[in-house]
Amino acid sequence: MQITETKKRLIEKLGVFFEGQGKTPVEARIIGLFLVADQIEITLVDIQQTLSISKSAVNNAINVLLLREEVEYVTKPGDRKKYYKSKIEQWMTHVEQHIEKSVEGKVLLKEALEQRIKTTKTFNTALKDMIDFMDYVQSQHKELFTKWKKLRNKS
Amino acid sequence: MQITETKKRLIEKLGVFFEGQGKTPVEARIIGLFLVADQIEITLVDIQQTLSISKSAVNNAINVLLLREEVEYVTKPGDRKKYYKSKIEQWMTHVEQHIEKSVEGKVLLKEALEQRIKTTKTFNTALKDMIDFMDYVQSQHKELFTKWKKLRNKS
DNA sequence: TTTTTAGTTCTGCAAATACAGAACTAAGTA
DNA sequence: TACTTAGTTCTGTATTTGCAGAACTAAAAA
């Protein structure tokens, strides 16, 4: 498996971005590779060679991505290699989960509000607003996603 | 400055949550302290003592939070202490920025799509969908926030 | 039966992080 | 002028993270 210099550079740029999203360098570059590679299905050795990473690092990263269901693999009769592929269609689900996670602290904030002294009115109102906003975001997102799914299935 | 055991436990729980959001343990606990403390304005020494952290750690964390504009400070005449306070009202802005950041990779994904071989139709369509979805989220979010601001100012 | 191949696991190291403690600065105070 | 106080910066270190390389397992091929 070979890859152009342009694509290699793009993989690095994508890598840096995904690092910023909390992925490790290796994970990030593997995702990048899936995004630019001519093949959908890529073997461990291919990843290892095109990205110049150790086999163990690739294996560990891939297994993390498998757990997170960002990647899956297929097999072929009479071939014991695993052909890894990006679950890119699932990506929207991950965004949903990501947003869910960012408002999951709502419960704790409510607890904080209950525990607060009642005299700090401005602060308490601001905190209350924050919690309400989280509720709002949460409710609106469900709509956002269902709307999108409809919109998507039409075109 | 003193604080109940209940609140201390809550600070730790909030701390763990904010660590999950990418903050360092110290940053996370300082934010937690601001959320439950009876005073709005808290000095460096107060933070240091109630959280049992070193002065340097508090100072560094506070300065990071100042840079990120999650915290600000006020001063008082004839008192050279700095009174730090949470910029909790600004919190919605941070959520906006957070969401913006999560779709800022759109440009790179477009680049990836352009560079891709044209024969992997399913994948390319999925990638295109992903990009479109990011556009959609971005546009809808602006609406989401302005709607909320209206809704908020009414009540 | 040895050899090859795919993948996993283990071991160790190098770099990055996060923090404590001490030294230091600057501006008042006794 | 020495002393205190608030805050900053520096130095060292413990911990964590991320990865390479080697050892290992399992299954098929020679």
Short mmCIF file of all heavy atoms in Angstrom, two decimals, chain B residues 44 55-56 59 80-82, chain D residues 4-10:
data_model
loop_
_atom_site.label_atom_id
_atom_site.label_comp_id
_atom_site.label_asym_id
_atom_site.label_seq_id
_atom_site.Cartn_x
_atom_site.Cartn_y
_atom_site.Cartn_z
N LEU B 44 -6.36 33.73 46.76
CA LEU B 44 -5.46 32.63 46.47
C LEU B 44 -5.23 31.78 47.71
O LEU B 44 -5.27 30.55 47.65
CB LEU B 44 -4.14 33.19 45.95
CG LEU B 44 -3.17 32.25 45.23
CD1 LEU B 44 -2.43 33.00 44.15
CD2 LEU B 44 -2.19 31.62 46.20
N LYS B 55 0.63 26.65 47.01
CA LYS B 55 0.38 27.99 46.51
C LYS B 55 0.71 28.09 45.02
O LYS B 55 -0.02 28.70 44.25
CB LYS B 55 1.23 28.98 47.32
CG LYS B 55 0.74 30.40 47.27
CD LYS B 55 1.33 31.27 48.38
CE LYS B 55 2.86 31.34 48.33
NZ LYS B 55 3.35 32.66 48.84
N SER B 56 1.83 27.48 44.62
CA SER B 56 2.23 27.57 43.22
C SER B 56 1.23 26.89 42.31
O SER B 56 0.91 27.39 41.23
CB SER B 56 3.62 26.97 43.02
OG SER B 56 3.63 25.61 43.35
N ASN B 59 -1.73 29.12 42.00
CA ASN B 59 -1.39 30.27 41.17
C ASN B 59 -1.37 29.93 39.69
O ASN B 59 -1.98 30.63 38.88
CB ASN B 59 -0.03 30.83 41.61
CG ASN B 59 0.30 32.13 40.92
OD1 ASN B 59 -0.39 33.13 41.09
ND2 ASN B 59 1.31 32.11 40.08
N ARG B 80 -3.86 44.63 48.73
CA ARG B 80 -3.25 44.17 47.48
C ARG B 80 -3.59 42.73 47.14
O ARG B 80 -3.08 42.18 46.18
CB ARG B 80 -1.76 44.47 47.44
CG ARG B 80 -0.88 43.80 48.37
CD ARG B 80 0.40 44.66 48.56
NE ARG B 80 1.06 44.19 49.75
CZ ARG B 80 1.84 43.13 49.76
NH1 ARG B 80 2.10 42.48 48.65
NH2 ARG B 80 2.37 42.73 50.88
N LYS B 81 -4.46 42.15 47.90
CA LYS B 81 -4.94 40.80 47.53
C LYS B 81 -5.77 40.88 46.27
O LYS B 81 -6.42 41.89 45.98
CB LYS B 81 -5.79 40.22 48.66
CG LYS B 81 -4.98 39.60 49.78
CD LYS B 81 -5.81 38.68 50.64
CE LYS B 81 -6.72 39.43 51.59
NZ LYS B 81 -5.98 40.23 52.59
N LYS B 82 -5.76 39.79 45.53
CA LYS B 82 -6.65 39.68 44.38
C LYS B 82 -7.81 38.80 44.78
O LYS B 82 -7.63 37.75 45.39
CB LYS B 82 -5.92 39.07 43.19
CG LYS B 82 -4.85 39.98 42.61
CD LYS B 82 -4.07 39.31 41.49
CE LYS B 82 -3.00 40.27 40.97
NZ LYS B 82 -2.17 39.64 39.92
P DT D 4 8.17 38.99 60.78
OP1 DT D 4 7.56 38.74 62.10
OP2 DT D 4 9.17 38.08 60.20
"O5'" DT D 4 6.97 39.16 59.73
"C5'" DT D 4 6.09 40.24 59.93
"C4'" DT D 4 5.17 40.50 58.77
"O4'" DT D 4 5.88 41.16 57.70
"C3'" DT D 4 4.45 39.32 58.16
"O3'" DT D 4 3.06 39.58 58.28
"C2'" DT D 4 4.90 39.29 56.70
"C1'" DT D 4 5.36 40.72 56.48
N1 DT D 4 6.44 40.94 55.47
C2 DT D 4 6.19 41.73 54.37
O2 DT D 4 5.12 42.26 54.16
N3 DT D 4 7.26 41.89 53.53
C4 DT D 4 8.52 41.34 53.67
O4 DT D 4 9.39 41.55 52.84
C5 DT D 4 8.72 40.51 54.83
C7 DT D 4 10.03 39.86 55.09
C6 DT D 4 7.67 40.35 55.67
P DT D 5 1.97 38.52 57.98
OP1 DT D 5 0.79 38.81 58.83
OP2 DT D 5 2.64 37.21 58.02
"O5'" DT D 5 1.57 38.84 56.48
"C5'" DT D 5 1.20 40.16 56.13
"C4'" DT D 5 1.00 40.23 54.62
"O4'" DT D 5 2.26 40.41 53.96
"C3'" DT D 5 0.38 38.97 54.01
"O3'" DT D 5 -0.70 39.36 53.20
"C2'" DT D 5 1.51 38.34 53.21
"C1'" DT D 5 2.32 39.58 52.83
N1 DT D 5 3.77 39.37 52.56
C2 DT D 5 4.35 40.07 51.54
O2 DT D 5 3.74 40.86 50.84
N3 DT D 5 5.69 39.83 51.37
C4 DT D 5 6.48 38.97 52.09
O4 DT D 5 7.68 38.85 51.85
C5 DT D 5 5.81 38.25 53.16
C7 DT D 5 6.57 37.29 54.01
C6 DT D 5 4.49 38.48 53.33
P DA D 6 -1.67 38.30 52.56
OP1 DA D 6 -3.07 38.76 52.73
OP2 DA D 6 -1.25 36.96 53.00
"O5'" DA D 6 -1.29 38.47 51.02
"C5'" DA D 6 -1.55 39.71 50.37
"C4'" DA D 6 -1.15 39.59 48.92
"O4'" DA D 6 0.28 39.54 48.84
"C3'" DA D 6 -1.67 38.32 48.25
"O3'" DA D 6 -2.26 38.67 47.02
"C2'" DA D 6 -0.43 37.45 48.08
"C1'" DA D 6 0.69 38.47 48.02
N9 DA D 6 1.96 37.99 48.56
C8 DA D 6 2.17 37.22 49.67
N7 DA D 6 3.44 36.96 49.90
C5 DA D 6 4.10 37.61 48.88
C6 DA D 6 5.47 37.72 48.56
N6 DA D 6 6.44 37.15 49.28
N1 DA D 6 5.80 38.44 47.47
C2 DA D 6 4.82 39.02 46.75
N3 DA D 6 3.50 38.97 46.95
C4 DA D 6 3.21 38.25 48.04
P DG D 7 -2.90 37.59 46.09
OP1 DG D 7 -3.96 38.19 45.29
OP2 DG D 7 -3.15 36.39 46.90
"O5'" DG D 7 -1.67 37.32 45.12
"C5'" DG D 7 -1.13 38.44 44.39
"C4'" DG D 7 0.16 37.99 43.77
"O4'" DG D 7 1.08 37.59 44.79
"C3'" DG D 7 0.03 36.78 42.83
"O3'" DG D 7 0.24 37.23 41.51
"C2'" DG D 7 1.11 35.82 43.31
"C1'" DG D 7 1.97 36.67 44.21
N9 DG D 7 2.63 35.96 45.29
C8 DG D 7 2.05 35.33 46.37
N7 DG D 7 2.92 34.78 47.17
C5 DG D 7 4.14 35.07 46.60
C6 DG D 7 5.45 34.74 47.03
O6 DG D 7 5.79 34.09 48.03
N1 DG D 7 6.42 35.23 46.15
C2 DG D 7 6.15 35.96 45.01
N2 DG D 7 7.19 36.34 44.29
N3 DG D 7 4.93 36.28 44.60
C4 DG D 7 3.98 35.80 45.44
P DT D 8 0.26 36.23 40.30
OP1 DT D 8 -0.16 36.97 39.11
OP2 DT D 8 -0.41 34.97 40.70
"O5'" DT D 8 1.82 35.94 40.15
"C5'" DT D 8 2.72 37.03 40.06
"C4'" DT D 8 4.13 36.52 39.88
"O4'" DT D 8 4.57 35.89 41.10
"C3'" DT D 8 4.29 35.45 38.79
"O3'" DT D 8 5.31 35.90 37.92
"C2'" DT D 8 4.67 34.18 39.55
"C1'" DT D 8 5.32 34.74 40.80
N1 DT D 8 5.23 33.89 42.02
C2 DT D 8 6.38 33.46 42.62
O2 DT D 8 7.49 33.73 42.19
N3 DT D 8 6.20 32.70 43.75
C4 DT D 8 5.00 32.34 44.32
O4 DT D 8 4.96 31.66 45.34
C5 DT D 8 3.81 32.82 43.65
C7 DT D 8 2.46 32.49 44.18
C6 DT D 8 3.99 33.56 42.54
P DT D 9 5.61 35.11 36.59
OP1 DT D 9 6.01 36.10 35.57
OP2 DT D 9 4.53 34.15 36.34
"O5'" DT D 9 6.92 34.28 37.01
"C5'" DT D 9 7.99 34.95 37.64
"C4'" DT D 9 9.03 33.92 38.05
"O4'" DT D 9 8.60 33.24 39.25
"C3'" DT D 9 9.28 32.82 37.01
"O3'" DT D 9 10.68 32.72 36.84
"C2'" DT D 9 8.67 31.57 37.62
"C1'" DT D 9 8.85 31.86 39.11
N1 DT D 9 7.90 31.17 40.04
C2 DT D 9 8.41 30.57 41.17
O2 DT D 9 9.61 30.54 41.43
N3 DT D 9 7.47 29.99 41.97
C4 DT D 9 6.10 29.95 41.78
O4 DT D 9 5.37 29.40 42.58
C5 DT D 9 5.64 30.61 40.59
C7 DT D 9 4.18 30.62 40.28
C6 DT D 9 6.55 31.18 39.78
P DC D 10 11.32 31.76 35.74
OP1 DC D 10 12.26 32.53 34.92
OP2 DC D 10 10.23 31.00 35.09
"O5'" DC D 10 12.14 30.77 36.69
"C5'" DC D 10 12.67 31.27 37.92
"C4'" DC D 10 13.25 30.11 38.72
"O4'" DC D 10 12.25 29.56 39.59
"C3'" DC D 10 13.77 28.96 37.86
"O3'" DC D 10 15.00 28.54 38.41
"C2'" DC D 10 12.67 27.90 37.99
"C1'" DC D 10 12.13 28.17 39.38
N1 DC D 10 10.69 27.83 39.59
C2 DC D 10 10.31 27.14 40.75
O2 DC D 10 11.17 26.80 41.56
N3 DC D 10 8.99 26.86 40.93
C4 DC D 10 8.08 27.25 40.03
N4 DC D 10 6.81 26.96 40.26
C5 DC D 10 8.46 27.96 38.86
C6 DC D 10 9.76 28.23 38.67
#
